[in-house]
Structures are given as structure tokens and as C-alpha cells.
Amino acid sequence: MTETARSQTAPIEGPDPEKVKAELIAKYPPKVARKRAKQIIVNRLEPGDKVPEITANVRTVPGLMSQRGCCYAGCKGVVLGPTRDIVNITHGPIGCGFYSWLTRRNQTDPDTTPDGHNFMTYCFSTDMQEKEIIFGGEKKLKQAIQEAYDNFKPKAIAVFATCPVGLIGDDIHAVCREMKDALGINVFGFSCEGYKGVSQSAGHHIANNQIFKHVVGLDDTIGAGEFRVNLLGEYNIGGDAFEIERIFEKCGITTVATFSGNSSIDAFANSHTADLNLIMCHRSINYVAEMMEKKFGVPWIKINFIGAEATAKSLRKIAAYFDDPALTERVEAVIAEELPAVQAARDAIRPRTEGKRAMLFVGGSRAHHYQELFRELGMRTLSAGYEFAHRDDYEGRKVLPGVKVDADSRNIEELDVCQDPDRYRPRKTPAELAALSAKGLEFKDYQGMMPEMPEGSLVIDDISQFETDLMIEKYRPDIFCAGIKEKYMIQKHGIPMKQLHSYDYGGPYAGFKGAVNFYREIDRMVNSRVWGYLKAPWQTNPELAATYAWE
Ligand code: CFM
């Protein structure tokens, strides 16, 4: 199996990216244009093979229509939402709870044993009203925790603060402590008010901190399994984690905990006993990996199960880490068994997708990972960007020491973590780690999106709707990937649009079977003739074109 070639040397065809960049910012007031110019980068290696610097994780300019969500969404919706047996109570108005409830299509395998719990089919909220906004909501929160306990007898209850909670100053942590003592179960809170930080990224960090503080390390039992790993940053959207678990099982790799797709609180509590952390989505979960390594000695590596070749490569990395001949043999056997079906699907579909061009503007990791699947289809990524990632997700972790910490990031607590006096257990000796690194296994590292993108492609951080429209006009990609908020305005351009957050109605797309699903889906989308029949309103009504006149 050959490694997918890094494609920075092959320039993309189409309009001059420098000119497109100039047009993207031409309509903005000078100050906004200056800011956006640092977030819209023509991806061209600089001397010393350095990827250019991009500004990321900064506030969106008010008035620009952003794709971003909020801190609460990142904490409750993204990181904690997929856990099935914690009662997650949204302390706030009802809409915050409702709109963060399963719209992301995070699946779980419900525990059907007599005392097994699955609360994902419920939406818990304190349904704050005017009365609580004026007189305070702590009493109502206490009642809600009590009511949830009485009805469900869960092992744990988590409380999430929404914007008004921070504004009126409810002390959710005091309430949680009180209820923890009163009920004798784990009750903990997240100060993840929507306005904290500049995007949902702040919510990831807050979620990581609290899960680490209140749950990880509570159960020291070392369970069965010879090769025990945690899968971090995999949220089981459309069943992705199920497919990865299937492959792991075949290989004889034991998943101790997944953060947090198809997860349970007991698995989190026990996760520090694993021997390796595998990071799928670096953006949302790298904090847990870092803290677990510091406190318990579990090393982490970046893996990627999006793309069949990437999956094979990631499995080989795991085998290399454990360095066990039987495991290596099994991993190779599984790859050999799984790849022919993938190859057959690819051979059948690729003649129809070869040379087509994609744009991906998603979250904080998928805009990178999915380029791998498009490459397998012979497609090129014209332009991509994240909604809320940081510079390291674009340029690689090597830039971390130079990343400026601004007031918005300083707002988010950095936990002071040190070696656990009793439970810190280095999984490998420094010499073993060095030997593995020498063999090419990179620990604690992530190269980011930009080194793998075509030369001259535009990398755009926190793209606005205006910029999206203009990019589509200029390049007419064959497919555009983003989320539900963008979907219909993109389709009105006559361009097929694939949701890479919820996968529309599809998935899984991870692993070997997922790759085949994705090939078929993209084939269907880019080769559908329906888009050619579609006229945007401004194409049939010229008077509407005035608002979109950038020529
Ligand atoms: Fe990680 Fe995610 Fe993503 Fe993310 Fe998300 Fe998501 Fe995403 Mo939507 S954790 S950064 S905050 S991979 S919900 S499962 S699809 S934006 S690219």
C-alpha cells in the first residue's frame, strides 16, 4: 500500500487565487479587510518548506455571517452529548437544550441490561423563564436535578450553563456540589455559557477540563484485553465509531473508552488505564490526551480513520506502537481482508469522479480528514477551511509555541495537571519511545491541514456566507461540503452539497465500510444531472442579481 502523496506540488487549475483573495476582501471596510486577509491564505510553501501562517481562533467580525456555533454547543452538544448514561441537563431557556439534542446524529449502542441506561432519547432542560432570569435559577436547577434523579436514578448528572446563567450569576457548581452530597452520585457542572471564547472550540476545552477533573481516574480496574486503547475525538456520527470498533475487534484491539461516541461514564472513569490514546479529532479533544499523558503516563498519537488508506495506515501505527508480532500479523490480515471490497468499489466509481473538484468548510477536523476520501476518488480539494480550529490544526503542532494567547482564550481555564504520585505509569521507556519515533511513529504530533493541500488552494478560516457565494461563483466546484446552515444556499447555486457534520441521512463514512459508503454517495451526488436544471432566483429574475453583483 502506497502512502497518499502530499499534493502541495501540484497547483490547482482555475482562477488566480491571489486575485480571488483580493476580490473576497474588496467589499469589506479596510479594518475588516485587513483582518480577513490574514484568515484567507493562498496555500503556497514558503522558503524552508514552511506552510504560510494563518490567523485562526479569533472573533468573528460582527455582521459577517459565520458558520460558527457557540461555546455551549461545543461543550454540551459535541463532547458530552454522545454519552448515553449521564443525564445532561441544560440550565437555560428551552431552545438551547432542544437544538443541541441529537441533531448531530451521534449514535449509541444502548445498554439493554436491567440497570443499563440510555438517556440520549431524552432532552433535559430547566426551561428557564422570566422569573428565573429576574430572581435567579439555582432553585429551579436544584429541583431539576432532584427530579431527574427521582425519575431515572442515573449514575451521574451533568449541568450545562447557557448564556443567561452566566449573565445572572447562578452558581451551578455550588448547586452541583450540594446535590452530589445529597444524592450520593456524581453531579458536576460546566460553565460553558454560549458567549465564552470565540466559538464552540472554547466549549471543547471546558468539557475536557471538567471530564478530566470529575470523572477520569475514578476507576482503576485494569480490564481485559492485551492491546488497550482509547479513541479520542470520535463522536459516532452516523455510526462511525461502530465501524471503527468493528475493525478493532477483528484486530484484537480493545477500546477502553471512546470520547465520546457510543460512550458511558464508567468507560471515561476507567480510561486512564488504557495503554495508548488515539486522537481522531485533534481540535476537540487534544486537551484530554495531554492531561492524561501528564497525569497517568498514557502516550498519544494522531490517527485518522476517514479514508480506507488512512485507516490501514492508522492500524499499522497502532501495531507499530504495541510492537507485537501477533498483533501486527492480525492487523495485516484484516487490512488484506477488508481492502479488496474497498478497491473494487473505488475501481468502479473512480472513472466517474476522477478530476472533479471539492470544497470543504467544516468544523475543526473534517475539512482536513475528508480530503483523504476525495483523493481516493481522484478528486481534488480546491479550497478548504475550518470554522473554529486553531493554527495548529492548519499548520501543525510545531507552531504551538508561537501561538498568541488572546483575551478570549485566556478566559478558558487551563488545568494545572501534574504526575499522579501513585498512578503515573509510563507505558514505554524513553528509549522505547525514541526507537519508535526513529521508525517514524510520531508521538504528540499533528501536521495539520495545509501541508496536504494543493499548491495555490485557498485556505479560509471562519468563512462567511458572502465569501462562500463568491467562491462558488469563481470556481464552480463539483461538490461543496459544509453544514445544514449552508446547505440550501449552496444548492441554490446548482451545486450539490454534502453535510459533513450530520452526514445528511448517511454514514458511516469511517473505516473500510464507511469509505465505500462515501464513494457511492459522492458518485451519486456529483454525477446527478438535476443540478444542471436548477436556476438560482437571481438567474431568472435579473433584478435580484443586484444584491449579488460582484463583477
Ligand atoms: Fe471534531 Fe467533530 Fe469536527 Fe468538532 Fe463539530 Fe462534528 Fe465538525 Mo460538526 S468534534 S471538530 S465541534 S470532528 S459537531 S463530530 S462535524 S463541527 S469537523
Side-chain angles (χ1 to χ4, degrees):
M1 171 96 355
T2 54
E3 199 175 311
T4 311
R6 305 225 159 177
S7 44
Q8 258 236 299
T9 44
I12 51 163
E13 46 307 302
D16 177 353
E18 300 286 355
K19 283 200 187 129
V20 176
K21 174 173 174 174
E23 275 187 65
L24 284 169
I25 56 176
K27 292 240 186 273
Y28 292 141
K31 211 174 139 194
V32 177
R34 271 201 302 279
K35 183 169 184 180
R36 289 302 295 153
K38 292 186 203 148
Q39 291 176 276
I40 302 174
I41 302 298
V42 179
N43 190 36
R44 218 164 249 141
L45 289 183
E46 290 167 357
D49 276 355
K50 195 180 149 298
V51 285
E53 180 175 333
I54 188 164
T55 293
N57 190 33
V58 292
R59 285 187 193 194
T60 304
V61 176
L64 288 192
M65 272 204 267
S66 163
Q67 300 179 326
R68 283 176 166 174
C70 68
C71 176
Y72 161 80
C75 183
K76 192 271 178 183
V78 172
V79 180
L80 270 297
T83 51
R84 65 175 162 263
D85 54 0
I86 303 177
V87 167
N88 289 322
I89 302 179
T90 297
H91 186 32
I94 193 66
C96 304
F98 185 76
Y99 288 106
S100 58
W101 177 42
L102 285 186
T103 48
R104 185 167 167 244
R105 299 185 69 244
N106 43 287
Q107 301 183 1
T108 205
D109 189 2
D111 180 351
T112 49
T113 55
D115 37 293
H117 287 149
N118 177 20
F119 303 123
M120 268 173 41
T121 50
Y122 295 91
C123 176
F124 299 94
S125 167
T126 53
D127 185 20
M128 255 184 162
Q129 306 285 321
E130 219 166 33
K131 194 176 129 214
E132 284 82 46
I133 300 292
I134 295 164
F135 298 108
E138 292 178 10
K139 208 170 121 207
K140 200 170 188 191
L141 174 61
K142 215 181 291 178
Q143 281 167 357
I145 295 172
Q146 185 68 52
E147 194 182 324
Y149 179 76
D150 292 342
N151 284 330
F152 297 103
K153 299 284 179 319
K155 289 178 189 161
I157 296 177
V159 173
F160 300 85
T162 57
C163 294
V165 171
L167 297 175
I168 65 175
D170 277 1
D171 187 347
I172 61 162
H173 303 288
V175 174
C176 287
R177 274 195 302 273
E178 192 189 324
M179 294 311 281
K180 185 177 176 174
D181 291 342
L183 303 175
I185 60 162
N186 201 353
V187 184
F188 48 97
F190 297 81
S191 288
C192 55
E193 288 85 354
Y195 54 75
K196 281 216 175 134
V198 300
S199 69
Q200 50 269 64
S201 171
H204 301 148
H205 196 165
I206 292 166
N208 282 223
N209 284 350
Q210 297 299 83
I211 273 290
F212 195 76
K213 225 195 295 188
H214 294 280
V215 186
V216 172
L218 291 182
D219 173 12
D220 290 328
T221 323
I222 298 185
E226 215 179 329
F227 310 107
R228 304 173 76 249
V229 302
N230 295 318
L231 186 55
L232 303 188
E234 166 48 59
Y235 300 93
N236 204 18
I237 314 301
D240 277 354
F242 294 150
E243 165 65 358
I244 300 170
E245 285 167 17
R246 180 189 73 85
I247 298 169
F248 279 8
E249 261 168 49
K250 269 180 96 170
C251 295
I253 299 164
T254 306
T255 316
V256 179
T258 302
F259 287 72
S260 56
N262 194 27
S263 65
S264 72
I265 185 155
D266 291 344
F268 290 163
N270 186 243
S271 58
H272 63 298
T273 66
D275 292 320
L276 177 65
N277 276 332
L278 306 169
I279 293 213
M280 180 76 186
C281 166
H282 171 264
R283 182 65 268 136
S284 62
I285 208 86
N286 72 83
Y287 319 93
V288 159
E290 290 280 302
M291 293 188 283
M292 232 193 265
E293 173 153 34
K294 258 197 202 154
K295 188 167 177 184
F296 300 107
V298 188
W300 69 265
I301 56 170
K302 175 78 179 71
I303 44 79
N304 172 27
F305 290 106
I306 301 297
E309 288 175 26
T311 299
K313 197 170 144 190
S314 297
L315 291 174
R316 289 190 173 117
K317 277 191 187 179
I318 301 167
Y321 171 81
F322 286 107
D323 196 17
D324 175 274
L327 176 66
T328 307
E329 201 177 299
R330 260 197 318 272
V331 160
E332 289 305 329
V334 169
I335 294 172
E337 194 186 317
E338 298 275 339
L339 272 186
V342 179
Q343 194 61 50
R346 195 189 306 171
D347 290 346
I349 287 166
R350 191 159 166 156
R352 295 191 295 271
T353 50
E354 186 83 55
K356 301 226 185 258
R357 300 147 326 131
M359 285 188 183
L360 301 88
F361 290 92
V362 207
S365 84
R366 296 187 171 179
H368 177 202
H369 288 160
Y370 276 79
Q371 294 186 27
E372 188 83 27
L373 270 172
F374 283 119
R375 263 196 296 268
E376 293 183 353
L377 287 170
M379 293 174 63
R380 306 205 68 194
T381 302
L382 289 176
S383 179
Y386 297 122
E387 276 171 57
F388 51 73
H390 301 194
R391 274 185 63 199
D392 40 327
D393 305 294
Y394 285 104
E395 301 169 54
R397 279 178 70 95
K398 61 184 179 306
V399 303
L400 274 178
V403 173
K404 274 198 279 334
V405 182
D406 61 15
D408 288 303
S409 301
R410 217 166 279 133
N411 236 343
I412 316 301
E413 187 190 10
E414 281 289 343
L415 289 189
D416 202 5
V417 175
C418 43
Q419 273 188 20
D420 189 288
D422 308 314
R423 297 181 294 170
Y424 179 82
R425 180 167 59 85
R427 302 316 200 256
K428 298 263 176 194
T429 64
E432 283 169 333
L433 288 176
L436 286 168
S437 305
K439 275 198 235 159
L441 192 64
E442 294 161 333
F443 288 96
K444 292 167 77 99
D445 205 10
Y446 174 42
Q447 303 298 327
M449 169 204 277
M450 288 165 85
E452 291 190 354
M453 288 209 38
E455 184 189 331
S457 53
L458 278 163
V459 178
I460 305 177
D461 181 63
D462 186 19
I463 195 170
S464 69
Q465 179 178 344
F466 166 75
E467 291 157 6
T468 304
D469 277 325
L470 184 50
M471 287 297 286
I472 290 175
E473 285 287 303
K474 291 288 164 197
Y475 289 94
R476 302 294 302 171
D478 298 290
I479 192 163
F480 198 102
C481 303
I484 188 64
K485 303 189 292 299
E486 297 77 47
K487 186 170 179 89
Y488 300 100
M489 73 93 160
I490 288 159
Q491 289 185 165
K492 283 178 191 169
H493 282 281
I495 304 280
M497 194 282 182
K498 179 68 194 164
Q499 288 192 66
L500 280 191
H501 301 260
S502 70
Y503 297 165
D504 293 297
Y505 314 100
Y509 296 139
F512 299 114
K513 294 212 157 107
V516 175
N517 288 340
F518 195 75
Y519 300 159
R520 292 196 179 126
E521 176 78 353
I522 297 306
D523 177 31
R524 184 180 69 75
M525 293 182 84
V526 298
N527 291 307
S528 165
R529 285 182 304 172
V530 71
W531 304 106
Y533 300 126
L534 205 137
K535 287 266 175 289
W538 56 90
Q539 290 169 310
T540 42
N541 297 291
E543 66 278 13
L544 292 176
T547 45
Y548 282 84
W550 34 62
E551 305 302 345

